[in-house]
Amino acid sequence: MHAVIPVSNAYNLRFAIDLQSHLVHCIQTIPRLLIGSVFRETDVTARSFLVTVIINNYNYGRFLREAIDSALCQTYPHLEVIVVDDGSTDESRDIITSYGQSLIAVFKDNGGQASAFNAGIAASQGEVICFLDADDFLHPAKVESVLPYCRPGSLIYHRLRMLPGPGIYPEAVGSGGNFYTYALKYRFIPFVAAPTSALAISRDLAQRLFPLPTRNVRSSADDFVVKGSALLGNVFGIPDVLATYRIHGANAWYGTREVKSAAFVRELEDYLNAKLVCAGKEPVIDFHRSMFARDVVPQSFPELATLALSVFRHHQDAVTLRFMLRTLIRASRCMLA
């Protein structure tokens, strides 16, 4: 029989597992902390860390087998693969079932990507957790290549090959780190990583971020993971191309300027501020009074001028001065139109 965890039981199971393993984990962590880090750049595989790959799927049966095979065929051996099916109505369930005990299957009612992430995290046991969208696939050395860079409190991302086409995304990786100081200055946090299939997170940071809100998060749940990690932990990019992102009709955001719904943005803002408060930090995120909002607010002279002045008054530097001037120019054009 393959392992199937109904989502209604997943959190209870995770709690029971965590309760039993918490003391053991704390005892094991003490000597590791004394030498500087749970994750060392040398001899990582010899330590046999368990790594989890969570595949989230909704009606991607035509791609699903390639995604699962890419996770099961990793060169790193100490791996658990969890496939969360978010209420698919295609052949996905039969495909997942055909793998038997080689993976952990979580079948749930449709609730969106954030709810699928939550169910996968609840069922996971790995010290490092990799995410994979079911329409993408990992390259064979993905886990082995990412693991040496992982640290407590870290989110690691890499670059993705685009399919079809010769493109690589992102073109380059940033310097990374923690972005709370940035948020203090500018009242928002940019997306400082890459999409879902490029992400790997340490378990301790995941436990601080999950569960994610689900009400208005049918897709783009990676916004919560990336931006939450940037505020509460550290985000680091590596230049390796370790997975393939498939471009097709249902997800062709690549090359577009996607604007999230107002409900999504409010959900994200509330979530990030709540997490900051829990961490003893000031709740500084205010998307609609930040540089983020220039393309979101009504394109009128009063709205744009108010935004321009608000951003500059909050924090005065070359970045906000340039934003103010450009936004006032746009506001003037709106008035003359």
Side-chain angles (χ1 to χ4, degrees):
M1 293 288 293
H2 61 289
V4 178
I5 302 177
V7 72
S8 59
N9 297 328
Y11 287 103
N12 291 336
L13 175 61
R14 180 67 247 157
F15 178 79
I17 294 172
D18 280 347
L19 187 64
Q20 180 179 356
S21 63
H22 180 68
L23 290 176
V24 174
H25 174 74
C26 289
I27 294 171
Q28 291 174 338
T29 299
I30 291 172
R32 295 171 181 167
L33 292 175
L34 291 175
I35 61 173
S37 175
V38 174
F39 304 103
R40 305 290 290 179
E41 290 193 15
T42 58
D43 199 25
V44 172
T45 55
R47 293 177 177 271
S48 302
F49 290 131
L50 180 66
V51 175
T52 300
V53 176
I54 296 174
I55 303 173
N56 71 99
N57 175 71
Y58 175 65
N59 283 345
Y60 276 158
R62 62 195 185 279
F63 305 127
L64 181 56
R65 193 172 293 280
E66 187 171 13
I68 293 174
D69 289 345
S70 75
L72 291 174
C73 295
Q74 288 293 298
T75 57
Y76 184 78
H78 308 291
L79 203 70
E80 66 173 6
V81 176
I82 299 173
V83 183
V84 181
D85 185 74
D86 190 35
S88 294
T89 57
D90 64 358
E91 69 274 23
S92 293
R93 185 172 186 133
D94 291 338
I95 292 171
I96 296 167
T97 302
S98 72
Y99 282 85
Q101 293 183 335
S102 59
L103 55 77
I104 298 170
V106 180
F107 296 119
K108 61 184 290 297
D109 293 336
N110 182 252
Q113 190 181 42
S115 71
F117 281 8
N118 291 343
I121 291 291
S124 71
Q125 299 184 60
E127 292 192 65
V128 174
I129 300 160
C130 300
F131 296 95
L132 176 61
D133 284 336
D135 53 338
D136 302 335
F137 59 89
L138 305 180
H139 299 177
K142 151 70 180 257
V143 173
E144 186 175 8
S145 299
V146 165
L147 191 56
Y149 295 93
C150 291
R151 299 290 185 273
S154 68
L155 177 78
I156 306 299
Y157 73 95
H158 55 75
R159 298 197 295 161
L160 296 164
R161 180 169 67 92
M162 313 308 289
L163 181 70
I168 301 295
Y169 183 83
E171 294 183 0
V173 297
S175 56
N178 180 270
F179 287 81
Y180 179 66
T181 300
Y182 181 101
L184 278 171
K185 294 178 182 178
Y186 303 124
R187 297 193 287 206
F188 83 109
I189 188 77
F191 191 88
V192 291
T196 297
S197 299
L199 304 179
I201 191 170
S202 63
R203 182 164 200 84
D204 66 311
L205 183 55
Q207 288 173 331
R208 298 179 70 187
L209 298 179
F210 286 87
L212 306 180
T214 61
R215 184 175 53 179
N216 296 301
V217 195
R218 302 293 304 179
S219 61
S220 298
D222 50 356
D223 270 30
F224 290 75
V225 178
V226 170
K227 294 178 181 181
S229 296
L231 290 173
L232 300 186
N234 291 283
V235 177
F236 298 104
I238 59 176
D240 310 57
V241 179
L242 298 174
T244 292
Y245 180 95
R246 198 187 305 269
I247 303 170
H248 55 92
N251 74 338
W253 61 267
Y254 183 61
T256 67
R257 295 185 58 147
E258 180 184 7
V259 177
K260 302 294 196 307
S261 71
F264 179 95
V265 173
R266 176 59 63 186
E267 200 77 57
L268 178 59
E269 181 178 301
D270 290 346
Y271 166 82
L272 294 175
N273 282 328
K275 291 298 179 182
L276 287 171
V277 170
C278 288
K281 297 183 177 182
E282 185 180 350
V284 296
I285 303 301
D286 190 348
F287 285 116
H288 286 92
R289 293 198 301 148
S290 74
M291 292 183 288
F292 165 88
R294 182 162 57 191
D295 295 326
V296 177
V297 300
Q299 299 298 290
S300 66
F301 180 85
E303 293 284 350
L304 288 168
T306 299
L307 175 65
L309 296 174
S310 173
V311 167
F312 186 68
R313 285 171 182 160
H314 178 73
H315 180 78
Q316 299 172 16
D317 63 9
V319 173
T320 56
L321 176 61
R322 184 166 54 249
F323 173 85
M324 180 181 68
L325 294 175
R326 290 177 176 175
T327 306
L328 288 175
I329 291 172
R330 182 187 291 193
S332 299
R333 288 173 178 167
C334 290
M335 184 175 62
L336 297 173

